[in-house]
Amino acid sequence: MNWQIPAILGGTALVLLLVLWAVWEFVASAENRRLIAARSALAQAEYNASTPLATLDARLRRTEWGSRLARRLARSGTDLRPATFVAALVSGSLLAVVVVWQILAPFFGLLAAAGVAFLFFTYLRRAEAKRREEFTGQLPDLARVLGNATSAGLALPTAVAIAADELDGPAGEELGRMAESMKLGASFEEAISDLRERMPSRELGVLLSTLVVASRSGGSLVTALRNISSTLESRKETRREVKTILSETTSTVWALGFMSVGALFMINAISPGVMRTMTSTGAGIAVLLVVAALFAIGFALVSRITRFKM
């Protein structure tokens, strides 16, 4: 018990320091935005690159894990940088450790930190999936716009630029990146490869393969795009129906998970200190680990069962 109080105080102090650092960053950036208003764009970029958060972001991007995280954040459509994501993850984990440690027991504080990390990466994964679904839903319109542009005699790079202006949401943004990369000297095949890496899906793979074949060997691209557009439209309706059917199961799994966590706090509120007493013995810790493992296995199995690919 003597070592718990300094640990709790140290964790609280560290969380407060992180919060104060975030407030200082916000105030300093707000003050410097007024000073930079009259400067050139180069001076503003140099200032943005000299902040501690930008330095941490640059170091993270040089690592394999950081570059992979940056790609995932870009695919999710969020404006967060890897350094911001990591800082929020660490702050949330420390805060969860301090709060749960003090309310329940030190054992649950460690589990809370793992739970916060799981929630952060689950949110990132769902954001990626949501943006990918939105992009897939726009593929019929994309094929239709490309078909109309090519039927008017326009080249594929020009048709892509027109589609980027015509479409909203993730499709317009991704096609805009593709058009910009081709303006900077990338070939059509390289731009398509980058787009397929950012938005992996079977529907997009079929559409892009058709475009690559047409750019290399020619053929009736207009007819192919119109056929693909009608096929993608029917697949879009099927995906929506399957997702609606499976949404009830996934919502139930998440509800059970949050209810189990709430049950721990409720039991501890009814009998104060029971969780701390339970985690003071090896048998109690073993029971809790078995229960946590069963919940994790059940969640993983349901997630795998409800995952579908078309």
Side-chain angles (χ1 to χ4, degrees):
M1 295 297 293
N2 294 330
W3 61 272
Q4 293 180 2
I5 296 177
I8 293 174
L9 293 177
T12 306
L14 185 58
V15 172
L16 290 176
L17 286 175
L18 288 173
V19 172
L20 290 176
W21 175 65
V23 173
W24 178 81
E25 283 283 337
F26 176 77
V27 174
S29 61
E31 179 66 24
N32 282 281
R33 272 196 295 268
R34 292 192 293 267
L35 298 176
I36 293 174
R39 298 181 185 178
S40 64
L42 179 59
Q44 184 174 359
E46 290 178 352
Y47 168 75
N48 292 333
S50 63
T51 59
L53 199 62
T55 304
L56 176 61
D57 186 71
R59 291 180 179 177
L60 283 175
R61 290 177 185 271
R62 285 196 291 267
T63 63
E64 182 179 356
W65 182 84
S67 61
R68 186 164 60 248
L69 178 61
R71 290 194 297 269
R72 294 191 62 182
L73 289 172
R75 286 198 297 264
S76 66
T78 60
D79 296 330
L80 291 177
R81 294 185 294 182
T84 306
F85 183 85
V86 171
L89 173 61
V90 173
S91 301
S93 299
L94 290 176
L95 183 61
V97 168
V98 171
V99 173
V100 178
W101 187 317
Q102 189 171 5
I103 295 177
L104 295 180
F107 175 79
F108 292 101
L110 300 177
L111 291 181
V116 169
F118 172 75
L119 290 177
F120 265 76
F121 284 101
T122 299
Y123 167 77
L124 180 60
R125 180 176 57 82
R126 292 177 69 88
E128 288 181 272
K130 181 180 178 181
R131 193 166 186 267
R132 188 166 56 248
E133 287 291 332
E134 293 176 353
F135 183 85
T136 304
Q138 291 180 292
L139 287 180
D141 297 330
L142 171 59
R144 194 175 301 114
V145 172
L146 292 177
N148 294 335
T150 52
S151 65
L154 299 177
L156 278 176
T158 307
V160 169
I162 292 176
D165 295 331
E166 291 285 337
L167 299 176
D168 298 327
E173 297 172 1
E174 294 297 333
L175 291 176
R177 293 180 183 178
M178 182 178 173
E180 287 296 327
S181 64
M182 287 188 290
K183 288 180 182 179
L184 294 175
S187 64
F188 187 72
E189 288 80 4
E190 292 174 348
I192 282 181
S193 178
D194 292 339
L195 177 60
R196 183 178 295 180
E197 182 180 356
R198 293 194 303 268
M199 289 290 167
S201 68
R202 294 187 179 183
E203 291 86 350
L204 180 61
V206 173
L207 177 59
L208 295 182
S209 299
T210 304
L211 295 179
V212 170
V213 171
S215 65
R216 291 177 179 176
S217 59
S220 181
L221 179 60
V222 178
T223 304
L225 287 175
R226 288 176 179 172
N227 293 334
I228 290 175
S229 176
S230 60
T231 303
L232 291 177
E233 192 68 40
S234 61
R235 289 175 64 89
K236 176 182 175 181
E237 295 299 325
T238 305
R239 290 175 66 92
R240 185 184 295 115
E241 293 177 1
V242 174
K243 188 176 180 180
T244 303
I245 294 172
L246 297 178
S247 61
E248 182 178 356
T249 304
T250 54
S251 301
T252 303
V253 172
W254 280 102
L256 288 175
F258 285 111
M259 288 172 61
S260 62
V261 174
L264 293 176
F265 287 92
M266 185 178 66
I267 293 172
N268 192 73
I270 295 173
S271 300
V274 65
M275 291 299 168
R276 192 176 298 272
T277 304
M278 186 176 184
T279 55
S280 62
T281 62
I285 294 177
V287 170
L288 291 173
L289 289 177
V290 169
V291 172
L294 290 176
F295 267 103
I297 293 173
F299 185 85
L301 289 176
V302 173
S303 299
R304 187 168 184 82
I305 291 173
T306 55
R307 188 183 306 164
F308 68 97
K309 294 182 180 181
M310 294 182 58

